[in-house]
């Protein structure tokens, strides 16, 4: 494929079958230089297969792909020199100390000893692991391990970084730490293709999204565009007095805010759910609630779960039903 654009990653008609399973069924994708593309999809959607093909670990059955201008099939050696990869499953050697892991990878990438040493020191510092440098990676916490993985993927100063579900299995705090690191890496100018099962993660890190399901791209666009399609957020309001839920619902419905979908009362939890499409609507609803003088014990916004995104985009539930919404997807808002 000749390079006709400025995209860091360019994919056309990519197909990969495993027997009867169509892991990738004609995928097109472009990632602009210096941006973060989120590839969002449930388990089994084909995300890892895509990353493995783009990092030359796997050959496609059909289609074309380039990374940093290098063809995955014809220029795999040049391609590997300009990418970094962090897999869903960690790649560091448990028995070795963090520093040794990074030094060894540097040497594998043909860095001279002195440079490999300097790079290991620099990246441990960069990912706040200097104090743990001499300890075997097996003694690291989950977050430290993931940071060591990120550091390892950065040794070769990649132009394009593949992060395959970088925070799956991490607790919310550790997930936030990893997000901060990824954001800093993007600030340094690296292009990132990140796969995730979490809408929240995609929203935190990616500027553009490609939603995949059963090997096919079912939607793509900027995060805001996709969210708008899905219907924005849900505002969850809980009055101190559960008897106030119903009057509150009527009051909000009567506000007549243009485009505001109807409220839902969750009687069991004594909460009111208000689907909102914009920050202006959020402000208007919160303002009205406050003006009414009803005492509120909690108020929060929730992003649509991946399942809701799927339902909205495809009309069917994600093939493996799951609840991607977790406690940390709820953001408190000031009243
Ligand atoms: N080595 C393999 N052999 C057979 N089937 C596979 C293999 N790898 C992946 N698959 C199948 O291909 C589909 C896509 O898998 P994968 O790319 O791992 O999805 P994801 O990373 O989105 O969870 C799944 O149905 C999976 O079971
Ligand atoms: Mg995977």
């Amino acid at each position: 494929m000749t390079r006709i654009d400025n995209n860091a990653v360019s994919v056309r008609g990519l197909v990969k079958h495993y027997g009867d399973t169509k892991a990738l069924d004609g995928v097109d994708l472009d990632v602009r230089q210096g941006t973060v593309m989120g590839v969002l999809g449930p388990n089994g959607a084909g995300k890892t297969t895509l990353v493995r093909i783009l990092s030359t670990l796997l050959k496609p059955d059909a289609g074309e792909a380039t990374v940093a201008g290098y063809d995955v099939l014809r220029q795999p050696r040049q391609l590997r020199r300009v990418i970094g990869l962090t897999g869903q499953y960690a790649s560091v050697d448990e028995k070795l100390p963090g520093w040794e892991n990074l030094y060894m990878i540097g040497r594998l990438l043909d860095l001279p000893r002195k440079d490999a040493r300097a790079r290991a020191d620099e990246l441990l510092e960069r990912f706040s692991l200097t104090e743990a440098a001499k300890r075997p990676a097996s003694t690291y916490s989950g977050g430290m391990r993931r940071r060591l993985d990120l550091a390892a993927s950065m040794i070769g100063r990649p132009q394009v970084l593949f992060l395959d579900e970088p925070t799956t299995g991490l607790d919310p705090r550790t997930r936030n730490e990893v997000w901060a690191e990824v954001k800093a890496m993007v600030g340094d100018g690296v292009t990132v293709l990140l796969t995730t099962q979490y809408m929240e993660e995609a929203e935190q890190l990616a500027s553009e999204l490609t939603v995949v399901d059963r090997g096919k791209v079912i939607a793509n666009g900027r995060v805001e565009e996709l969210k708008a399609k899905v219907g924005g957020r849900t505002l969850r309001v809980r009055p101190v007095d559960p008897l106030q839920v119903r009057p509150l619902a009527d009051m909000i419905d009567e506000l007549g805010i243009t485009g505001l979908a109807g409220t839902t009362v969750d009687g069991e939890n004594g909460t009111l759910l208000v689907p909102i499409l914009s920050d202006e609507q959020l402000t208007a609803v919160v303002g009205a609630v406050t003006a009414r003088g009803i005492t509120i014990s909690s108020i929060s916004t929730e992003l649509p779960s991946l399942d809701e995104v799927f339902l909205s985009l495809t009309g069917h539930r994600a093939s493996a039903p799951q609840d991607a919404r977790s406690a940390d997807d709820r953001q408190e808002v000031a009243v």
Side-chain angles (χ1 to χ4, degrees), residues 43-44 47-49 88 164-165 195:
N43 249 327
K47 302 181 297 297
T48 297
T49 303
Q88 187 169 3
D164 193 12
E165 300 201 26
T195 77

Side-chain angles (χ1 to χ4, degrees), residues 48 54 63 70 139 177 190 200 284 294 313 322:
T48 297
L54 292 177
Y70 297 118
T139 67
E177 274 174 39
V190 64
E200 159 100 19
I294 295 173
L313 292 172
Q322 57 194 305

Side-chain angles (χ1 to χ4, degrees), residues 314-327:
T314 66
H316 72 83
R317 296 222 161 256
S319 28
Q322 57 194 305
D323 185 12
R325 179 188 290 162
S326 57

